[in-house]
């Protein structure tokens, strides 16, 4: 079932399609590692957000450039993000033409972007093309996912402080899913036939994405609390 996506906002749930035996007990430490990394990245995300807010309020150079009107900085950031994600420019290296809803659907899919030689576990060609760029100079899916994670991790931290209504729930879900997907793809590369071999449950990178996105709820709640305190300061 394909979700209805409008303007990057999820308006319906995303249905995952994993088999009943989707993971092994040996993978639990990796899931725990995702939890630790989510906490660390979440804390750093909140720190970045607070530093940005503090800089905007107290930095004289910032005030000289952008003045006291927050709309000026908002317009500058909108132009920057639009230029950076332009599909025929830098955006082609990290799926800049896709909305958050579309990338989330890719992240939680139960296929693998790295196991192209396994027809039963490899992702469809159109999905692989979205994460490898142009056919003349294809990128590694892991590199493209990593660029996506780094870019939106910092951009979202800035955008949630802009003078326009913006949500953090969906972006945090997508960032967490991307981080989990990266670890899942690494596991699929390390264990192409599964941890216990072909007869046992295989590695599903989409499951790691689901774990990653779920754990971001913690720092989402923390960020809302911090933002409220900053706004009331």
């Amino acid at each position: 079932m394909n979700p209805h996506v409008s303007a990057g906002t999820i308006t319906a749930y995303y249905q995952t399609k994993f088999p009943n035996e989707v993971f092994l007990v040996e993978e639990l430490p990796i899931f725990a590692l995702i939890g630790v990394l989510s906490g660390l990245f979440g804390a750093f995300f909140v720190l970045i957000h607070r530093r940005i807010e503090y800089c905007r309020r107290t930095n004289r150079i910032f005030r000289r450039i952008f003045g006291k009107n927050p709309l000026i900085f908002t317009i500058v950031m909108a132009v920057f993000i639009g230029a950076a994600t332009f599909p025929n420019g830098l955006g082609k290296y990290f799926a800049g033409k896709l909305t958050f809803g579309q990338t989330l659907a890719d992240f939680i899919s139960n296929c693998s972007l790295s196991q192209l030689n396994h027809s039963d576990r490899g992702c469809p060609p159109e999905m692989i093309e979205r994460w490898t760029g142009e056919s003349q100079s294809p990128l590694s899916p892991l590199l493209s996912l990593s660029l996506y994670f780094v870019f939106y991790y910092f951009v979202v931290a800035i955008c949630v402080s802009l003078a326009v209504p913006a949500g953090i729930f969906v972006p945090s879900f997508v960032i967490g899913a991307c981080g989990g997907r990266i670890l899942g793809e690494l596991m699929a590369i390390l264990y192409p036939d599964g941890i216990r071999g072909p007869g046992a449950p295989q590695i599903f990178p989409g499951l790691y994405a689901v774990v990653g996105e779920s754990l971001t709820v913690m720092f989402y709640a923390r960020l809302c609390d911090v933002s409220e305190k900053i706004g009331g300061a």
Side-chain angles (χ1 to χ4, degrees):
M1 177 178 179
N2 292 326
H4 174 67
V5 180
S6 176
T9 301
I10 302 175
T11 57
Y13 69 92
Y14 282 83
Q15 182 174 344
T16 56
K17 297 179 181 179
F18 300 115
N20 293 331
E21 296 182 358
V22 69
F23 69 92
L24 299 171
V25 66
E26 290 90 340
E27 295 179 80
L28 292 179
I30 306 300
F31 297 153
L33 175 63
I34 294 177
V36 173
L37 292 177
S38 296
L40 292 175
F41 278 108
F44 188 57
F45 186 94
V46 173
L47 176 63
I48 294 173
H49 177 67
R50 294 186 65 176
R51 293 293 185 183
I52 293 171
E53 282 293 312
Y54 182 78
C55 176
R56 292 181 59 184
R57 295 188 179 195
T58 62
N59 190 279
R60 294 181 179 179
I61 298 177
F62 182 92
R63 287 182 171 272
R64 287 180 181 177
I65 296 175
F66 299 104
K68 296 182 179 180
N69 190 342
L71 288 178
I72 298 177
F73 181 64
T74 300
I75 294 173
V76 171
M77 283 303 303
V79 173
F80 167 76
I81 295 173
T85 59
F86 182 60
N88 293 330
L90 295 177
K92 66 182 178 182
Y93 297 114
F94 51 88
K97 64 181 179 180
L98 301 181
T99 65
F100 278 157
Q102 292 170 322
T103 54
L104 182 58
D106 284 352
F107 293 153
I108 65 176
S109 61
N110 63 347
C111 60
S112 174
L113 293 168
S114 304
Q115 293 181 311
L116 305 183
N117 55 332
H118 293 274
S119 58
D120 57 334
R121 295 196 295 273
C123 291
E126 59 273 13
M127 179 176 171
I128 294 175
E129 185 178 353
R130 289 197 292 268
W131 294 99
T132 55
E134 298 179 353
S135 57
Q136 294 84 353
S137 55
L139 295 174
S140 164
L142 276 177
L143 176 59
S144 184
L145 289 170
S146 300
L147 291 174
Y148 184 96
F149 180 87
V150 172
F151 177 79
Y152 283 105
Y153 182 84
F154 289 99
V155 165
V156 170
I158 298 174
C159 288
V160 292
S161 64
L162 298 180
V164 292
I168 183 60
F169 188 75
V170 172
S172 65
F173 252 53
V174 174
I175 293 172
C178 183
R181 182 80 191 196
I182 292 172
L183 287 179
E185 293 291 346
L186 287 174
M187 288 292 293
I189 294 174
L190 292 174
Y191 301 98
D193 294 320
I195 296 178
R196 296 183 183 178
Q202 300 300 302
I203 301 295
F204 294 94
L207 175 63
Y208 290 74
V210 172
V211 174
E213 71 180 11
S214 301
L215 292 170
T216 56
V217 174
M218 294 184 296
F219 86 79
Y220 157 73
R222 175 59 179 161
L223 178 60
C224 290
D225 179 57
V226 171
S227 299
E228 183 178 354
K229 291 180 179 178
I230 293 176

